[in-house]
Amino acid sequence: MTRLELLAPARTADIGIAAIRCGADAVYIGGPAFGARTAAGNSIEDIGRLCREAALFGVKIFVTVNTLARNDAERDEAVEMMCAMRDRGVSAFIIQDCSLMPLLKAKGPWKEQFHASTQCAIRTPERAVQLAGLGFTRLILERELSLEEIKAIRDAIPPEVELECFVHGALCVCYSGDCYLSEHLTGRSANRGECAQPCRNLYDLVDKDGKALVENRPLLSLKDLKLLGRIPTLAQAGVVSFKIEGRLKNESYVKNVVRAYSIALDSFIASQPGRYCRASCGTVTGGFVPDLDKTFNRGYTSLYIDGIRGNWASGDAAKGMGELLGTVGKVNTAHGAGRRSGGRLGERPDTGQYGGSFIELNPVSRSIVVHNGDGLCVVSPDGEVAGFRADRVEGRRIYCKLTGGVREGCRIWRNLDTAFEKDLAAKEPERTVGVALKVKFTGDGADFEAVIGNGVTFRATYPFGAPVVVAENQDRMRQMIRGQLGKTSGAFSFSVTDISSECQLPLLSAGTLNCFRRCLAEKAAEIMKSGCEGCESTGNHATQTSTAGTETDVTTLADAAKQTDSAALAHPRREGELMRSRYCILHELGKCLKTPSGRAFAKNGLLLRNNANLIPLHFDCRNCEMVLRSQKS
């Protein structure tokens, strides 16, 4: 049976714990350094805390070490950091810098596995085979791949090497790991975790004479990825891990997205009995109803999964607009206080009891309801997002402090739904692991055999603590035993499958039975956590196998490199290129170079202009790719 994994992001340990409770099978999180998100680092102690919580449900924790090291000293530092996290419950490290692999092998053997980051530029079978040969047990694929390209990679690599694929979240416009635009413009390297996100800036598209063809648009900003309905086809293509982007996102975003995809994954698995199962254990019940339109997004796209080019650009704005509510039908700006006939001091015409400016909404559907405190936004004529708060709502009329850009006829979005956020906070899902109990009563105690949801079996014996008598009503006592033991304690939901006794059932109080159940829950938690914090007991973590070889005499990078093909360590880059992408500005504008109108539009050459920066564009039509170059190239 194939295990399928929903992989959630976590900026902090607490967000990781929230993701686990909403149904994540694994969580990836940054460590103290080298995590490709300088604003999302975590201490080793916090990662240990997350691992302990994850262990209750058999959830795996992956730590990101996905920046490129500048020198040997940084490589040694990265390896030492990873060594410090050994036996803390971490299941794998996500690595971009392939030159770390020989050093890690020198420090082996490892229980932890090594995953090749998407920034390793994994988009061809040849590259995938190369990385698998270095000892990576999982490859995290490029986002811009088609389903057929994913299948080709799966067919090319050994069956024991897993594939991980992004299914939701923000998209880089370029191929992963091959972007040098931020470093070129600001000196902040994306491969060092310091990306300035220049793809979200406003640009002019100009020809070589400086004539502006398109002005003040986020021409490099893509919509967000959403493959909620494509889990079945990805699983059938050989993907086993479905990854959600968002290590800088807040807790409500992570909870909402994880819950939505967990429900979808459960539904797919239920439709394929005996073929697939979840990679972790436990059942999630109750809580809020997820809605992917309610949290941060720039609009959604399935990108290139079907091998077809669509409209991928985020439109007029690069920020999260949220849910389209409709258009502004009327704008009323009230200034100053006054008195109207028959009114109270301070009332203003057409403003109701409290006064103030307002807009009237023409909603896209009758089901749209705006709440007091909702966050709203419009796009101003100059391309900037103008946000404001709904102070008070009366039907279609929204009283607010108006900002520039709000005008009649403009579209209006909701990027904060206060009612939904309250649901997220108040209606927490509950995740529990089933434990099947067999209980046998002896003369002075109870013997238990428990089977945890992940298949682990343990036994425990607890004394009565005092002499007991035989229960007069045996059927009623049996029902009471089954009822009191068959409840939830902590993270475990118990059910009694068999009750036996050497003689007649003893008369036991509800308190005694509850005490047994709580002790069993503590024992189950101890067993599930046994792989964390260096414990030698058997458990989920301890069953992992070494993937990094054995101890060798290799102690420095220079020595290690001699034992590794240098080509396999290289991070591919074409001279003079700042970015290469399947996204094409001309295609988005309806001016493909393969058409007469496109050739006429681009006949004088094209550049992107941002303030004083000019970036030449090149169109590799043979490969259907757009390239941004430095002016010197």
Side-chain angles (χ1 to χ4, degrees), residues 13 58 104 126 288 304 325-326 396-397 487 537 545 558 596 610 613:
L104 292 168
E126 294 76 17
F288 61 89
Y304 198 61
L325 298 180
R396 291 172 48 198
R397 182 169 291 186
K487 293 182 177 181
S537 303
T545 58
N610 175 266
N613 299 302

Side-chain angles (χ1 to χ4, degrees), residues 124-142:
T124 66
E126 294 76 17
R127 180 64 171 166
V129 168
Q130 186 183 58
L131 291 168
L134 282 178
F136 288 108
T137 58
R138 179 182 291 187
L139 308 181
I140 307 172
L141 298 176
E142 160 64 47

Side-chain angles (χ1 to χ4, degrees), residues 160-330:
E160 65 270 17
V161 177
E162 298 175 337
L163 291 186
E164 179 178 307
C165 178
F166 281 93
V167 293
H168 195 91
L171 288 167
C172 294
V173 66
C174 69
Y175 289 126
S176 298
D178 283 353
C179 183
Y180 306 92
L181 184 60
S182 175
E183 186 176 8
H184 174 75
L185 295 177
T186 69
R188 293 168 53 182
S189 170
N191 286 314
R192 297 281 298 171
E194 300 169 341
C195 182
Q197 295 192 313
C199 56
R200 306 300 180 187
N201 290 346
L202 299 177
Y203 292 90
D204 298 330
L205 181 64
V206 302
D207 63 19
K208 288 186 177 179
D209 296 327
K211 179 183 176 182
L213 305 175
V214 178
E215 294 184 289
N216 220 34
R217 293 275 302 281
L219 293 170
L220 296 177
S221 177
L222 301 191
K223 297 174 183 175
D224 288 0
L225 184 65
K226 179 182 175 184
L227 296 178
L228 186 68
R230 306 309 300 270
I231 287 175
T233 52
L234 287 169
Q236 290 156 9
V239 174
V240 297
S241 179
F242 307 97
K243 187 171 191 172
I244 298 166
E245 182 277 338
R247 277 200 296 124
L248 293 178
K249 296 295 198 302
N250 62 22
E251 183 173 319
S252 65
Y253 175 92
V254 173
K255 288 167 62 177
N256 185 33
V257 178
V258 168
R259 194 74 198 99
Y261 277 84
S262 182
I263 291 170
L265 187 54
D266 282 342
S267 177
F268 167 63
I269 289 173
S271 73
Q272 304 283 319
R275 186 173 180 184
Y276 300 103
C277 65
R278 293 295 290 263
S280 63
C281 54
T283 301
V284 181
T285 56
F288 61 89
V289 177
D291 186 339
L292 295 178
D293 290 330
K294 297 290 188 182
T295 43
F296 183 97
N297 68 85
R298 300 178 179 90
Y300 290 119
T301 175
S302 58
L303 205 59
Y304 198 61
I305 192 68
D306 292 312
I308 300 171
R309 293 182 178 278
N311 294 318
W312 299 346
S314 64
D316 294 330
K319 297 183 179 180
M321 303 299 291
E323 176 186 14
L324 179 64
L325 298 180
T327 59
V328 176
K330 180 180 179 181

